Amino acid sequence: MFSPALAQPAAPHAEAPRSTPPEGEPQWHYETSEGQTGPVTPSQLRELASRGVIQAQTRVWCHGMPQWAPASEIPGVIPTPVPRPFMDRFSERVSELTSTERVEGSHVRGLFREVTKRHTKEEAEEVFGVGLSATTPSINEVATTLPAPWVFTRLLGFLGIAFVAIWLGWKQWQAPNLLPGVILLGSFAAPMAICVFFFECNAPRNVSLFAIVRMFVWGGVLSLIATFVLHSFAGDWDDRIGAPFAGLTEEPAKLAAVVLLGSLPRYRWTLNGMCLGAAVGAGFAAFESAGFAMQILLAGGDDRMIENIAVRGVLAPLAHVVWTAISAGALWRVKGGRPFEFRMLFERRCLAPVVTVMILHALWNSEIPAWFPSVSGYAILGVVAWTIVIGMLLGGLREVREATPVRP
């Protein structure tokens, strides 16, 4: 309830409405471009303010007020702005920077809605039975609702348990022939699982499991070789910049592998690019982790090798797989089903995410994450990357939806 003053002299800036003061609640008048309007009750006045009809500078008046006054000076009229949650502002800023959809909490919850539910082995097998001529749906049969991947968690658990089992066997018997299994399972488990996540999110279902394996193996190998080639041409820049320089070589190398192996006309969607990019990034991450593990083992540090495998496994979902998925998805949303042209890289919808990924990679390799407790510095970079991923995923679904013929 508003409490106007008792005195009521004439309003100096506008003639006050000449109506009988009400016996009940105050009756308010307000100015518009067409003149004075009213009376309205206090609740109606607040409702008009919430709809934007009455704004802060709008002049209002009721019986007992000495003169018309801006609505902002009347307590309770203009709604107090509610501070937006930090994550909403953060997501909006990331989407503006990378030209992706804005991510909300409901998107994250919806994306993982099936993870905790029970599923049969037959359902898991059906997830992988796509991408063939007989199993690729037509465009008007593609589901464009938010996907709900879940098989990737089962694969991660399966490979994780196998790694623990073979590691315990090696700890018990110190049998050298168990060490390759320890290294491979530990290095491949997390990257492969996150790769399957993107495979499940590929709504057009036009990428086969064979194509993913091909991109994983050949893409990982080619991108590693391309990285060494780029480092050889870098001269002393590698030594000057240090570890962050990898962001400038490894990301272009992985994206080049995706373009070389995945530029087929039938892979025309942004979601296809993200799926293929994730496979290449997973192969790169797995081979690189296995290489680091072997180096540490040869140096005589078997315990440090296990520690390195564990840490890289935990951090794998935040790094190479998602980085390459972002870069390839950004290029594919510009390229579509057309042949690759170098100029496509410089269109903002491609360039902004690719540059962002290179910066994230460089920061990841810098000393900055060490400023934060434990692995929280890497987690922050991972949140940025996954915000871009989900925003690009939403845009990819909209892309398919807009291309879907109108159903009768």
Side-chain angles (χ1 to χ4, degrees), residues 82-95 102-105 372 379-381 383-384 387:
V82 178
R84 294 174 60 199
F86 169 76
M87 287 307 298
D88 286 352
R89 291 182 280 115
F90 168 78
S91 173
E92 184 174 350
R93 182 56 181 156
V94 171
S95 68
R102 189 166 68 87
V103 178
E104 299 177 356
F372 299 85
I380 293 172
L381 297 176
V383 168
V384 176
T387 301

Side-chain angles (χ1 to χ4, degrees), residues 22-234:
E23 295 182 359
E25 59 183 356
Q27 299 294 299
W28 288 84
H29 301 259
Y30 62 95
E31 290 184 338
T32 67
S33 59
E34 299 178 355
Q36 299 172 0
T37 303
V40 295
T41 64
S43 60
Q44 291 172 328
L45 190 72
R46 287 191 293 269
E47 198 271 336
L48 290 168
S50 67
R51 287 162 39 198
V53 176
I54 293 178
Q55 300 181 0
Q57 69 274 16
T58 303
R59 297 203 302 165
V60 299
W61 179 89
C62 82
H63 289 281
M65 291 180 59
Q67 61 187 23
W68 292 79
S72 59
E73 296 182 5
I74 309 301
V77 175
I78 303 299
T80 303
V82 178
R84 294 174 60 199
F86 169 76
M87 287 307 298
D88 286 352
R89 291 182 280 115
F90 168 78
S91 173
E92 184 174 350
R93 182 56 181 156
V94 171
S95 68
E96 292 175 355
L97 180 65
T98 58
S99 299
T100 54
E101 302 287 323
R102 189 166 68 87
V103 178
E104 299 177 356
S106 59
H107 295 138
V108 179
R109 292 189 296 271
L111 195 61
F112 298 99
R113 63 187 182 273
E114 293 290 329
V115 167
T116 57
K117 295 181 180 180
R118 294 180 63 87
H119 294 276
T120 64
K121 293 180 180 179
E122 289 74 17
E123 289 178 298
E125 291 173 352
E126 290 175 0
V127 169
F128 295 105
V130 299
L132 307 178
S133 57
T135 57
T136 299
S138 62
I139 183 63
N140 58 353
E141 295 175 329
V142 172
T144 57
T145 56
L146 189 68
W150 59 272
V151 176
F152 76 99
T153 59
R154 277 51 170 186
L155 179 62
L156 181 61
F158 169 78
L159 294 176
I161 293 173
F163 165 71
V164 172
I166 198 169
W167 170 67
L168 290 175
W170 176 71
K171 291 291 289 184
Q172 176 66 32
W173 295 290
Q174 296 291 308
N177 58 342
L178 294 179
L179 276 176
V182 172
I183 294 174
L184 291 178
L185 281 173
S187 301
F188 280 56
M192 288 179 63
I194 303 305
C195 175
V196 170
F197 169 90
F198 286 95
F199 180 78
E200 292 183 81
C201 289
N202 181 44
R205 293 184 290 169
N206 59 338
V207 180
S208 67
L209 181 60
F210 174 79
I212 292 299
V213 173
R214 176 173 169 267
M215 298 294 291
F216 181 96
V217 176
W218 274 111
V221 170
L222 291 177
S223 56
L224 278 171
I225 293 174
T227 296
F228 283 108
V229 171
L230 291 175
H231 274 282
S232 67
F233 283 107

Side-chain angles (χ1 to χ4, degrees), residues 243-309:
F245 188 72
L248 306 179
T249 55
E250 293 179 4
E251 296 310 317
K254 290 183 292 180
L255 184 56
V258 182
V259 172
L260 180 64
L261 299 173
S263 292
L264 300 177
R266 68 175 181 271
Y267 301 144
R268 53 168 292 197
W269 307 106
T270 298
L271 297 174
N272 295 162
M274 297 180 71
C275 180
L276 299 172
V280 171
F284 184 97
F287 292 138
E288 184 182 54
S289 292
F292 282 128
M294 181 60 70
Q295 287 184 30
I296 297 173
L297 178 64
L298 293 177
D302 50 352
D303 289 337
R304 289 195 302 111
M305 178 196 72
I306 297 299
E307 179 183 355
N308 179 265
I309 288 175

